[in-house]
Amino acid sequence: MDNGVSAGSTASTSTLGNLALGLTLLAFGIGQTGIVGGVSAADSVSLATYVGGLALFVLGLLEYRGGNGFNGTAFAGLGAFWFTWAHGADAKVSANAAGLFLLLFALLALTLTLGAPGGLFGQGAYALLTLSLVLLAVGTLADSGGLGKAAGWVAAVSGLMAWYGATAALANWPTALGRASGGRSAAAAG
């Protein structure tokens, strides 16, 4: 193994964590919107369990080990959310309990929004996740399918932002609008 490359480097685990979060949000969001016939949010349970839940949680622990407290908190906390959501999807819980669960994790997402590194793909993805969870919680409490669909669209856009941010980091694509110093657009930091 090359001495310059660590098996648990924060760049690789951060990128993989953002990909896992993005794909899980996309699957959940698309299912929640009902835009694809015969596909619902419940169809994303396996992905939410293993990719959004277990993998994201483990990546969070690796981020902590690598010294990245923000990504450790984000990935482990959201991994716990997705794992719990996936295992509770079949449970018979009241709308009030489900709404409260979503509101509590919206608080986690809000904390992540406020603590995220600046920029569209840092704070933006977490801000949209927060909005999605709040809309879904209110929709669940008020028994409003329209709010649930709106939450799905917001979650899908949040997932696209997380996916693009991770892909940009791998491909050295721009992640900032406008120009950086020297007239060149800024590229994603790996």
Side-chain angles (χ1 to χ4, degrees):
M1 178 159 81
D2 183 2
N3 289 335
V5 177
S6 167
S9 75
T10 57
S12 63
T13 54
S14 294
T15 303
L16 186 56
N18 285 317
L19 281 171
L21 177 61
L23 294 174
T24 304
L25 280 167
L26 270 170
F28 170 78
I30 290 169
Q32 191 70 32
T33 64
I35 195 164
V36 177
V39 176
S40 70
D43 293 322
S44 64
V45 166
S46 290
L47 183 81
T49 299
Y50 298 110
V51 176
L54 291 175
L56 206 52
F57 187 81
V58 169
L59 289 168
L61 296 179
L62 291 173
E63 285 288 304
Y64 276 127
R65 181 175 178 236
N68 189 333
F70 176 80
N71 280 345
T73 301
F75 297 162
L78 292 174
F81 164 73
W82 285 115
F83 190 83
T84 305
W85 175 82
H87 280 282
D90 293 345
K92 302 291 183 210
V93 297
S94 69
N96 289 345
L100 177 61
F101 170 80
L102 292 165
L103 283 174
L104 291 173
F105 276 97
L107 289 174
L108 169 65
L110 177 62
T111 299
L112 296 174
T113 301
L114 297 173
L120 182 65
F121 297 102
Q123 289 180 311
Y126 290 116
L128 289 175
L129 173 59
T130 303
L131 178 59
S132 174
L133 289 172
V134 168
L135 287 172
L136 191 57
V138 172
T140 300
L141 292 168
D143 195 24
S144 170
L147 282 176
K149 284 186 182 216
W153 284 109
V154 174
V157 172
S158 176
L160 281 173
M161 289 180 77
W163 167 82
Y164 179 84
T167 302
L170 286 173
N172 293 318
W173 292 348
T175 59
L177 301 175
R179 302 265 179 205
S181 62
R184 303 186 70 163
S185 48

